[in-house]
Amino acid sequence: MAQINVIGQNGGRQISLDLPEANANLLHEVVTWQLASRRRGTASTKTRAQVSATGKKMYGQKGTGNARHGDRTVPTFVGGGVAFGPKPRNYGYTLPRKVRQLGLAMALSDRQQEDKLMAVDGFGLDGKTKGFISWAADNGMNGSESVLLVTDDVVARQAARNVPWVTVLPVAGLNAYDILRHDRLVIDAVALEPAQDEQTEEEGAA
């Protein structure tokens, strides 16, 4: 059972979460799915039917000494169509919801085990970048590590958005890939407490 200390204006308590042990294979699967969903898939080439050119035969079939050719739209010529080229497509695929949830829990577990997970209840910031940098320094963040700040506190996001070593997300945007690509995770305590409540209810029902 992981014990996460809550800091901030309304801190001073602990959140208990039963986080699974990180599994590299499952995390890789979740991250691959997430990145595939982000691919734009807009690459497009023209087939020989779409190239703007005449369809007239280039020259006679016999008597020229050259190879036999039809029109200039074939892929063998410069400016011709592309054979088996890319077309717009969707690279996304379906991954079971339980697998996605488990991947997110494992990403949180990985940061918690490395003591890089910080839960905050009340930032107490004024929306100024200088104020956030001061707050971060007081809590052991000096820019030597990349930080993912996940909060619904609009003022806190405004204060941190111009800091080059901080990435800002709302709680709804929390995902395994962004957690794993940052050294430290700073998150609203209320985002973790619903999970704690669900675990307590399950234990009570058992």
Side-chain angles (χ1 to χ4, degrees), residues 34-198:
Q34 190 174 336
L35 293 181
S37 300
R38 291 185 180 186
R39 293 184 66 175
R40 297 182 62 188
T42 55
S44 181
T45 55
K46 290 183 178 181
T47 65
R48 61 178 297 182
Q50 296 169 315
V51 172
S52 179
T54 180
K56 181 181 177 182
K57 188 173 175 62
M58 296 172 59
Y59 43 74
Q61 180 81 347
K62 296 179 179 291
T64 66
N66 295 313
R68 297 170 292 182
H69 287 299
D71 61 75
R72 289 186 176 273
T73 62
V74 295
T76 52
F77 290 116
V78 174
V82 177
F84 309 111
K87 286 293 184 182
R89 55 167 292 193
N90 180 13
Y91 286 90
Y93 56 91
T94 302
L95 193 67
R97 182 171 59 90
K98 288 186 177 180
V99 176
R100 303 197 303 264
Q101 291 176 337
L102 186 58
L104 179 58
M106 285 183 177
L108 291 171
S109 175
D110 184 71
R111 288 296 167 263
Q112 193 276 331
Q113 289 177 0
E114 294 181 358
D115 198 25
K116 301 294 186 180
L117 173 59
M118 183 182 297
V120 183
D121 188 355
F123 287 88
L125 298 174
D126 58 359
K128 301 294 185 181
T129 303
K130 183 177 180 180
F132 176 82
I133 292 176
S134 176
W135 179 90
D138 293 340
N139 290 281
M141 293 172 281
N142 57 11
S144 60
E145 298 176 317
S146 58
V147 176
L148 176 63
L149 176 64
V150 181
T151 178
D152 284 335
D153 186 335
V154 177
V155 176
R157 293 209 305 262
Q158 179 182 340
R161 66 188 179 186
N162 288 329
V163 181
W165 41 272
V166 177
T167 301
V168 179
L169 286 177
V171 171
L174 182 64
N175 63 86
Y177 172 66
D178 282 321
I179 292 174
L180 295 173
R181 74 186 185 94
H182 290 83
D183 299 315
R184 184 180 292 273
L185 172 63
V186 180
I187 188 171
D188 280 347
V190 292
L192 301 177
E193 286 171 339
Q196 180 187 33
D197 294 339
E198 288 176 6

